[in-house]
Amino acid sequence: MPKRITIAPHLSIEELQARFRQAKTTTQAHHYQIIWLLAGGKTTAEVMAVKGYSRGWIYELVWGYNHLGPESLEDQRCQNRDRDPLLNHVEQAQLWQVLQQPPPDGGLWNGRKVADWMSELKGYKVSRQRGWEYLKSMKFRLRVPRPEHQESDLLEQEEWKKKSPSVRSS
């Protein structure tokens, strides 16, 4: 039989239930309900079935509650503050100018190439996703030539176009 998760006695089962019912956000309610159910004797599998959370995320919530107390169950996203953009206005203007030219290795600009350029500018690794985000924010899009079949015959294609009946609109 699997070992049950131990919940630290920071709050009683009744207090956990009350906090679950009085939660201000849905996320906070979910977190309190998970701890309440586990403290009440439910297994992790039962809580997973009821809540739809993964085992790993439930373990993370339990770890936070056991080590940090009820404050760890609060919805922390409201504390996120606006951060300065990765590139300031001058650096974005530089990126715009760079994007007007072909990339140093040839080909076309993509998220990886923009991220590599940004990494050189900033002095630390920038993910290719951030490069793609900046590329999109500047209204650029991935322009990749349409693939051609290796054995295609251009002359035969032109002949086929000439022979096919043209569609006339009346």
Side-chain angles (χ1 to χ4, degrees):
M1 182 162 189
K3 189 170 80 170
R4 287 199 187 266
I5 292 179
T6 306
I7 303 296
H10 297 294
L11 299 171
S12 68
I13 292 176
E14 293 78 21
E15 289 173 313
L16 286 169
Q17 181 183 16
R19 289 200 183 188
F20 156 60
R21 298 207 185 280
Q22 296 167 356
K24 291 182 174 78
T25 67
T26 313
T27 303
Q28 187 181 24
H30 288 297
H31 293 177
Y32 275 109
Q33 186 181 23
I34 288 170
I35 299 300
W36 170 49
L37 292 171
L38 290 169
K42 299 284 185 199
T43 65
T44 307
E46 290 171 324
V47 174
M48 286 171 52
V50 170
K51 298 305 297 169
Y53 279 57
S54 70
R55 183 179 309 274
W57 183 244
I58 291 173
Y59 287 166
E60 198 169 319
L61 286 174
V62 169
W63 185 93
Y65 180 78
N66 286 345
H67 290 86
L68 306 172
E71 297 78 31
S72 70
L73 301 179
E74 302 293 326
D75 188 357
Q76 304 295 323
R77 293 176 297 180
C78 63
Q79 296 176 3
N80 291 346
R81 299 287 178 240
D82 289 337
R83 295 184 60 190
D84 291 334
L86 186 59
L87 298 179
N88 62 33
H89 294 298
V90 173
E91 292 167 334
Q92 287 183 34
Q94 289 174 337
L95 176 59
W96 176 260
Q97 289 177 343
V98 167
L99 291 174
Q100 303 307 312
Q101 307 299 319
D105 64 349
L108 300 168
W109 285 104
N110 59 28
R112 182 188 52 78
K113 292 177 185 179
V114 172
D116 290 346
W117 181 87
M118 291 169 62
S119 296
E120 284 182 32
L121 179 72
K122 299 307 261 181
Y124 55 84
K125 178 110 172 84
V126 175
S127 74
R128 63 191 307 176
Q129 178 62 34
R130 295 288 293 188
W132 176 244
E133 289 168 4
Y134 270 93
L135 200 59
K136 281 187 354 186
S137 73
M138 294 185 168
K139 305 294 186 221
F140 281 82
R141 59 187 175 87
L142 187 60
R143 293 187 179 125
V144 178
R146 190 171 187 171
E148 290 184 11
H149 193 280
Q150 297 297 326
E151 298 174 12
S152 64
D153 184 2
L154 294 176
L155 293 173
E156 188 177 321
Q157 289 176 20
E158 289 301 319
E159 288 297 319
W160 181 82
K161 288 178 188 175
K162 289 178 186 177
K163 291 180 182 177
S164 64
S166 61
V167 178
R168 295 187 181 131
S169 58
S170 6

